[in-house]
Amino acid sequence: MRPIKLAFLCSAASLLLFACTGNNKSNSTETHQKEIIEKTQNFPAGTVMLIVRGKTKLSEEAFLKIAKEREPQFEATPGLIQKYYIKTNTQGEYGGVYIWDSIESLKKFKESELAATIGDAYQLIEAPSTEVIEIMFELRP
């Protein structure tokens, strides 16, 4: 992974990648999706981290079962270097930390059917928070 000059953070309010309602996208969601494209136009090439957190009424066991069922689809996603499944300290909040080879791969994923089904698959009860972070360098290559 090559060093990158600038760390870039987008707030969850301005960077909504996934709709809780799956394919029932609202104008607000479409506006947010357009904003990410605009905000990342000048994003330097390099490795990017996406952190997604969402609340669900699913139990941890149910969440893990769904995650395991969807695992092959994520493994086959172009440009996805790694995905970590996470549980936060907030009751019912789970998420994913995605490591992408480039912002272009992240943008393509955002437009995919797999991304569009995240909210429905995990029965999210509100829009997830998202954060995109440019990785400057890694400790252990």
Side-chain angles (χ1 to χ4, degrees):
M1 195 179 313
R2 64 180 181 266
I4 299 174
K5 297 178 183 176
L6 176 68
F8 178 72
L9 299 169
C10 289
S11 70
S14 65
L15 183 62
L16 180 61
L17 296 177
F18 311 108
C20 282
T21 56
N23 292 330
N24 298 328
K25 293 181 182 177
S26 67
N27 287 339
S28 175
T29 300
E30 290 173 7
T31 300
H32 287 290
Q33 289 176 339
K34 288 178 184 174
E35 286 177 10
I36 186 176
I37 299 297
E38 292 171 9
K39 290 181 181 220
T40 58
Q41 288 300 323
N42 297 320
F43 204 98
T47 309
V48 178
M49 179 185 298
L50 168 66
I51 302 172
V52 179
R53 289 179 285 236
K55 292 183 183 177
T56 180
K57 291 185 179 181
L58 293 175
S59 67
E60 182 175 340
E61 294 78 23
F63 174 85
L64 288 172
K65 181 178 185 253
I66 294 165
K68 283 294 191 180
E69 290 170 355
R70 294 169 60 89
E71 189 175 13
Q73 293 172 282
F74 283 99
E75 285 179 340
T77 300
L80 181 59
I81 296 170
Q82 184 58 272
K83 180 179 180 188
Y84 300 94
Y85 295 84
I86 61 171
K87 176 175 75 170
T88 72
N89 292 330
T90 302
Q91 178 69 30
E93 186 176 68
Y94 302 95
V97 176
Y98 302 73
I99 309 298
W100 297 95
D101 64 0
S102 67
I103 193 67
E104 291 78 19
S105 294
L106 169 57
K107 287 178 186 178
K108 287 178 185 173
F109 171 72
K110 181 203 67 77
E111 297 169 353
S112 73
E113 179 68 22
L114 184 58
T117 61
I118 288 174
D120 287 340
Y122 294 105
Q123 300 174 30
L124 299 184
I125 57 177
E126 60 186 45
S129 67
T130 60
E131 187 172 32
V132 175
I133 302 169
E134 188 175 340
I135 298 174
M136 296 175 67
F137 71 95
E138 61 185 347
L139 176 63
R140 294 185 181 97

